[in-house]
Every structure is written in C-alpha cells, then in structure tokens.
Amino acid sequence: MPARLSFHADATQGGSRRLLAAVEVQGPFPSGRLDLSFPRWIPGSYTLRDPVQYVDGIEATDESGQPLSWQRPDPHRLRVKVPKDAKHVRVQHEVMALEMTVRSTHLDDGHLHLMPPFTWYLPDNADWSSGADIHLHLPDHWAPFTQLHAKGTPTKGTHVFDAPDRDAFLDGIIEANAGPHRTWDVDGRPHVLNIWDSAGLPVSSAMIDRFVDDATKIIKEHHALFGVPTLDPYVTVLHLTDKMRGGLEHLGSQTSMMPRASMIDGEKALYRDLISLFSHEYLHQWNVKRLRPKVYLDYDLSKEVPSPLLWWFEGGTSWLGDLICLRSGAWTQEDWNEEFNLKVNRHLNRHGASHESLVESSESAWVHLYKRTAWSSERRINYYLEGEFAMMALDVELRRRTRGSRGLDDVMVEALRRHAVGSDDPGVDHRRLRQALTSMEGGRRLGGMLDELMTTRKAPPLEAILSNLGFELVAKDGGEDHDGWLGLGLQRRQGKVVVTTHLEGSPLRNHVDAGDEVVAINDRRITEVKHVKQALSECAGREVQVLTAREGGLRTCNVEALPAVDHRKMKIDGKGNVLWRRITASRQQDA
Ligand SMILES: [Zn+2]
C-alpha cells in the first residue's frame, strides 16, 4: 500500500489573512527529486485562475527539518531536490487568502473557506490509491462544515479529515466559522446549513427557519426524481455578502453566496434568487457531479480542458432547478413567472445568438464567459441563459410528443442510470446524451433537434415554445407610446452617466462606444440615468442630438430615436395549459 498523502493548513492567524499550508510526501525518492504542481483552475469554474498568484514563503524540508533546495521550472510547478535516502518531504507555503468568492480560499478573523485546489501544491504522479489526510488547525470557537469525513475527534484545535481519492480531495471544500448552523434530516439523509456573514452581522433566525422549510420542500422534490443518493450529510455553506453573488457545486455540498438582504424579510426578489440558487447547486449533485462530461472524470488542472456540453450542464440545471422550485411548492407560479421574466428580458437584450452557438460558447468559456467585455452581449451568448432556453425547447417538445408523460428530467435520470460516475461506463459526451434522449419514449426523432439546438447560431423560437404551454409574451406596461428609444445600457459612475453596452437595434451603435459619457440629449444635461428617458419624451421617430464625451473630447451626433413602445420589457402572460400542469406537477406522488 502506498503511503497516504498528508495536507496541512493552519487558519489560526485569520487577522493576517495568511493561511499556512503544507503538503507532506513519504519517500522513497529514487529520482532524487520531488515535482509538484499548483492547480491552474477550479473544477466547476471553467477558466484559468492561477491561484498560485497568492502563494508566498515557500520552504521545503526533509524529515529532520533540514532545508531542501527547490526551483520553479515554471510559475505553477516546484521541483525539490531530495537526497535519495530521505524518508519524507514537507513543502510549506503561505496562501494570501484575500479573494472572497465561492471558488477561492478565503480567510479572515471570522471564517475560513478552504478550497483545496486553491490551497495546495499537488505532487505530480502521486499515488492517490490510499487517499489523503487533511489536518486543519482552527481557532477554538470555530466549527468546520464539510462533506469530508472527520477522522476521530479534534485534538488541540486540529481537525483531521479523510479524502479517499484525488477527486474527493479536490472537491472537499471546508468552511469554518462560529456562525449559525442547523442540522435536519430529509428522507433519512442529514442536511446541514451553515451561514457566514462577510461583515459579521447577525442573521434573522426566523428567516433561517423559512429557508430550511423551503429547502426541505426542494430537497424532497429532487429525491422524488433522482432518489436519495447517499446517507452521508449534505452541507450547504451560505455566504451572505454586501453585494456579491455566486455558487459552486460539490458532490455533497455547495457554497452559495448571496447579498445579505436576501435573508431580510420582505426582500422578495432576492429571496427568490437565493431559493433558485440553492436548487440549482443542489441539482448539480447529479447533473455535473454524478453525470459528468468524460473529459472531467479525472480533472487535468494544468491546462484548459474544453467541453462542448457545458450548456447542457448549466442550462439544464437552471431549467430543471427552477421547475423543481415550482413543483415542490417552494415557489408559486407567480414566483416562477417573475424569475422567467428576468431571463426573457436578458435574452431579448442580447444579440450574441446569431454569432455564437451553444457548443462554441461552451468550448470558449475559458476565454469568454468569465472575461466579459463591453462587446460580450453583442457577440457572445451566456450558455447558462441560452442553454436554459434550449433545454426548455427540448423538454417542451418531448412533453408535447408524449402528452406530458416524458420530459428532460427523465432523460437525465436515464443518462445517470447508464453513465453515472462509479458505474461501469461513466461519463458522457454528445453521443451518449443523444442516445439517452432518443431511447426515451417520444424522443426517437429528437436527436436532430438536439444537434441543431447545440450547433446553430440561432436562438430557439421562444414564442412558439411558450404557446405550446399556453403562455404568451406581452409587453410590460410603462412609458408613453410616443417616447423615443436609443438602445443603450447605461450606468451612473462618479456622477456621470456612462454607456455600458448597446442593446439590439440601437441607432447609436456606430456612434457611441461603451465607456462614453452621455453628456446631453437635445441640449438637456444628463446626470442621472432617468434623465435619458425624460429627454426622449415625445421623441419617437424624431431626430435627436446626442452629445457624448470620450477621451476628454466632446462628440455630437444626430440620429432618429426609435419608438420605445417597440422595445418595452416583456413578461409572460396566461395561465398555462394541461401540458404545463403536467411539467410542473410534483413527482412526489409517483415516487
Ligand atoms: Zn451551475
């Protein structure tokens, strides 16, 4: 049996923001050296983040504490020179744990969020068959929350966890803090909720109760579809922040980050978003973690690893995640409509769909999705959003062909039955997902539709899909019929109204750039975003003069303002038909 790897972290100096980290590797070292690499990306977040940028103070020693010399063959790798008779090597460093996101290691005097691939060098060619121990030294009053199993009881503030293999190690985030937590069972599986507030502010315990109630409904609905996957605890780490939002999935846990106002009674839209995020990350236990692209069965974290299927995994999770909120009763139909309206308007304001397919968008996530520019909304799609509409199109078509009895959730269950991680034939690619779809009752002829949705530079016909469900899109009220429209995304920055993007069909597309200040329209000074709408009153179809500033100079142009009535925000209308009621019926009765 090869020796277990051993990883260490000391989080007791949170005020310094430095996490002390070390990896210990047992010999022998017949080559006279030990090579290690720092991961360049984090599973679930498909871009090179190079967390090694936060590493400092590297030291290598042997079993008697004698320093060993080391080099960096490149910025991500370490090569330690090791005497052939050395028994054991320890490589220690500090992580400047400043980055507060769901995917990074973050430490302060109130908490630790430890992301293994953001923390440690990994020995190259290591034998992981015996697994790894993780030794974590914490302040006395902090409790750890993790999907990893604890080994024994903590001694002198050091907790030890077991990662049975490399995948479990990379996926095994650990949150530690003194914040509120709850533990409860759903269908026999323990669920743990831990909340950390980024400013140390108190969290309403009535709102925690409400969240636990709604989460329980959602969990039961997931179980009705997929079954209870394991009796190991599921851990929800919730970070409440000033403004930041995000989520990251793990096999038995999630880190979700929401503005803290989402847990203030009465902030309906934010709370709805929190519930949606929880359901989305919960669903990833199956659609990403258990059903996984083949190329991610054994993550190569040293370089970009593109997959053409990210749209399936994110779009499908968003589509089904929100349906489950509705099916479970955690959401009303009105909640679902409100959330859908936000997505529809984001979709209608972007025009990347005629320039990029879902496959192109998935494969280029590494350079596009997480690196937005002013032109992203014109030339790129977001595969979460457009993938969701594609999944909706497929789901509705399958339901239509089977009078509602089969849907994409059944396809997901079938794909899991065939290709889940841990099965004889794990991992999926386009062909395997296509087979799961076409083997489904009603799905035999849908392979071509799947191919087309994935590969063509065209959005699915949203109005037709909605009409199959007994809905239509209608304009939201607001504004007068004769208002003018210039089609700019605007933001107020330091007292200036600045262009952030062009909306589809903007008459100013070739005259104004993102970053330009809008100074005046028809001689009316613009210092607030609402001034633009006021200046365009009664301007539909008329020429307007727009004064902008760029690079310290003024520019004037005259364009015809379009009728705002043609560019109103849209909303879903109607009660939904029998097909919609079949799609949104709880599956808990037939479980
Ligand atoms: Zn996701």
Side-chain angles (χ1 to χ4, degrees):
M1 277 268 282
R4 282 169 75 82
L5 295 163
S6 175
F7 295 88
H8 300 254
D10 184 332
T12 54
Q13 302 300 316
S16 74
R17 316 300 300 274
R18 290 192 183 94
L19 181 75
L20 194 65
V23 51
E24 292 176 1
V25 185
Q26 303 298 325
F29 302 93
S31 66
R33 68 180 206 222
L34 172 65
D35 287 308
L36 306 101
S37 302
F38 213 93
R40 299 196 63 193
W41 59 279
I42 310 301
S45 179
Y46 307 99
T47 194
L48 296 183
R49 297 196 182 270
D50 289 334
V52 74
Q53 66 187 290
Y54 297 108
V55 167
D56 201 15
I58 300 166
E59 286 173 20
T61 47
D62 67 10
E63 66 278 5
S64 52
Q66 290 302 310
L68 301 173
S69 66
W70 52 269
Q71 302 170 305
R72 280 179 149 158
D74 70 38
H76 313 284
R77 294 193 296 142
L78 274 188
R79 176 163 293 171
V80 183
K81 208 171 157 192
V82 187
K84 288 215 168 69
D85 57 349
K87 293 187 178 61
H88 151 161
V89 172
R90 176 182 167 94
V91 176
Q92 173 183 307
H93 62 270
E94 292 171 336
V95 179
M96 302 294 289
L98 298 169
E99 195 178 305
M100 189 181 77
T101 69
V102 294
R103 64 185 86 87
S104 44
T105 290
H106 183 253
L107 172 67
D108 65 15
D109 52 12
H111 95 134
L112 167 71
H113 183 255
L114 186 149
M115 168 65 72
F118 212 96
T119 304
W120 286 293
Y121 281 96
L122 307 184
D124 294 351
N125 311 314
D127 186 339
W128 284 85
S129 58
S130 299
D133 287 335
I134 296 156
H135 302 252
L136 180 60
H137 193 43
L138 294 175
D140 289 339
H141 59 294
W142 287 7
F145 300 90
T146 176
Q147 68 190 26
L148 295 170
H149 288 253
K151 289 179 82 174
T153 47
T155 44
K156 294 182 184 164
T158 297
H159 303 250
V160 184
F161 301 97
D162 169 36
D165 53 41
R166 179 176 181 266
D167 203 59
F169 170 80
L170 293 172
D171 195 46
I173 58 141
I174 306 172
E175 168 73 26
N177 60 52
H181 66 274
R182 299 285 170 88
T183 303
W184 75 107
D185 273 13
V186 185
D187 300 327
R189 184 181 188 191
H191 284 72
V192 181
L193 168 70
N194 166 244
I195 303 180
W196 169 72
D197 183 285
S198 62
L201 297 174
V203 187
S204 152
S205 78
M207 285 302 290
I208 300 177
D209 291 343
R210 185 165 150 196
F211 178 81
V212 168
D213 277 354
D214 286 330
T216 303
K217 291 177 188 162
I218 288 167
I219 293 162
K220 285 186 170 177
E221 199 61 43
H222 279 88
H223 286 169
L225 184 59
F226 297 111
V228 180
T230 165
L231 293 181
D232 287 343
Y234 183 88
V235 179
T236 300
V237 173
L238 177 59
H239 289 171
L240 296 177
T241 65
D242 188 21
K243 294 193 178 84
M244 285 183 63
R245 179 196 188 279
L248 194 64
E249 67 276 8
H250 304 285
L251 185 66
S253 60
Q254 63 176 276
T255 302
S256 286
M257 187 177 267
M258 279 294 295
R260 68 173 60 84
S262 62
M263 288 290 273
I264 291 176
D265 191 17
E267 290 286 351
K268 274 187 172 177
L270 279 170
Y271 183 72
R272 198 169 54 231
D273 190 19
L274 167 63
I275 291 297
S276 170
L277 180 62
F278 171 78
S279 183
H280 178 105
E281 302 305 339
Y282 199 81
L283 179 48
H284 273 319
Q285 285 179 89
W286 293 278
N287 198 35
V288 157
K289 285 300 175 184
R290 286 179 174 81
L291 186 69
R292 213 185 272 190
K294 276 184 187 173
V295 289
Y296 298 146
L297 288 175
D298 187 16
Y299 295 109
D300 179 353
L301 300 178
S302 70
K303 61 176 198 284
E304 297 95 332
V305 184
S307 160
L309 295 177
L310 296 182
W311 70 274
W312 169 285
F313 288 96
E314 291 305 341
T317 301
S318 290
W319 168 243
L320 187 55
D322 279 3
L323 274 186
I324 283 178
C325 292
L326 179 56
R327 283 178 185 174
S328 71
W331 273 6
T332 61
Q333 177 70 47
E334 195 189 328
D335 286 322
W336 188 88
N337 289 5
E338 291 290 333
E339 207 63 21
F340 190 76
N341 290 341
L342 294 174
K343 294 173 199 168
V344 164
N345 287 301
R346 277 206 296 273
H347 166 78
L348 294 174
N349 278 336
R350 297 175 72 107
H351 24 131
S354 49
H355 300 277
E356 197 175 43
S357 70
L358 288 167
V359 167
E360 289 174 299
S361 169
S362 297
E363 289 179 334
S364 65
W366 299 87
V367 288
H368 288 156
L369 183 76
Y370 301 92
K371 295 175 177 167
R372 271 185 70 82
T373 70
W375 314 117
S376 297
S377 72
E378 283 193 276
R379 290 294 169 130
R380 313 278 171 236
I381 57 171
N382 176 321
Y383 58 74
Y384 283 71
L385 181 66
E386 301 303 328
E388 180 168 356
F389 288 122
M391 290 300 260
M392 179 186 188
L394 265 180
D395 199 4
V396 171
E397 190 53 30
L398 187 55
R399 294 279 180 179
R400 204 180 61 77
R401 289 174 184 226
T402 57
R403 295 205 166 82
S405 74
R406 286 286 175 273
L408 265 195
D409 44 3
D410 299 297
V411 176
M412 232 177 250
V413 169
E414 176 60 16
L416 276 157
R417 191 187 65 76
R418 297 175 179 207
H419 302 300
V421 169
S423 72
D424 291 341
D425 200 9
V428 289
D429 51 18
H430 170 213
R431 191 174 57 85
R432 288 184 165 187
L433 287 178
R434 199 179 195 277
Q435 283 167 346
L437 172 66
T438 54
S439 68
M440 186 67 43
E441 175 198 340
R444 199 159 66 87
R445 294 174 188 280
L446 288 184
M449 182 179 176
L450 172 71
D451 301 346
E452 193 183 328
L453 283 167
M454 287 174 69
T455 56
T456 54
R457 294 174 173 175
K458 198 170 138 208
L462 196 52
E463 309 231 0
I465 298 165
L466 284 170
S467 114
N468 275 325
L469 298 173
F471 293 114
E472 58 178 339
L473 280 182
V474 298
K476 269 189 169 176
D477 296 337
E480 302 299 327
D481 286 355
H482 46 244
D483 287 350
W485 181 86
L486 292 175
L488 296 177
L490 298 165
Q491 209 176 54
R492 192 162 185 272
R493 289 182 198 155
Q494 296 169 331
K496 297 173 180 176
V497 174
V498 175
V499 177
T500 54
T501 185
H502 303 96
L503 307 184
E504 174 98 59
S506 167
L508 287 171
R509 171 62 187 82
N510 294 347
H511 303 286
V512 169
D513 268 354
D516 291 359
E517 179 191 356
V518 180
V519 179
I521 296 174
N522 286 348
D523 295 331
R524 289 174 192 269
R525 183 76 171 95
I526 305 294
T527 54
E528 306 263 359
V529 173
K530 68 181 178 195
H531 292 164
V532 172
K533 187 169 179 296
Q534 291 166 359
L536 292 172
S537 173
E538 300 185 34
C539 286
R542 294 200 189 159
E543 187 173 284
V544 293
Q545 187 185 61
V546 183
L547 179 66
T548 56
R550 182 190 303 173
E551 280 291 315
L554 294 174
R555 304 161 64 96
T556 310
C557 70
N558 293 292
V559 294
E560 186 186 317
L562 301 176
V565 68
D566 297 337
H567 296 276
R568 282 193 182 145
K569 284 193 170 172
M570 305 298 279
K571 64 174 185 185
I572 188 171
D573 193 41
K575 287 191 170 11
N577 57 19
V578 180
L579 200 57
W580 178 243
R581 282 188 284 283
R582 288 296 295 271
I583 292 179
T584 57
S586 169
R587 312 256 319 214
Q588 292 185 55
Q589 287 76 28
D590 42 73

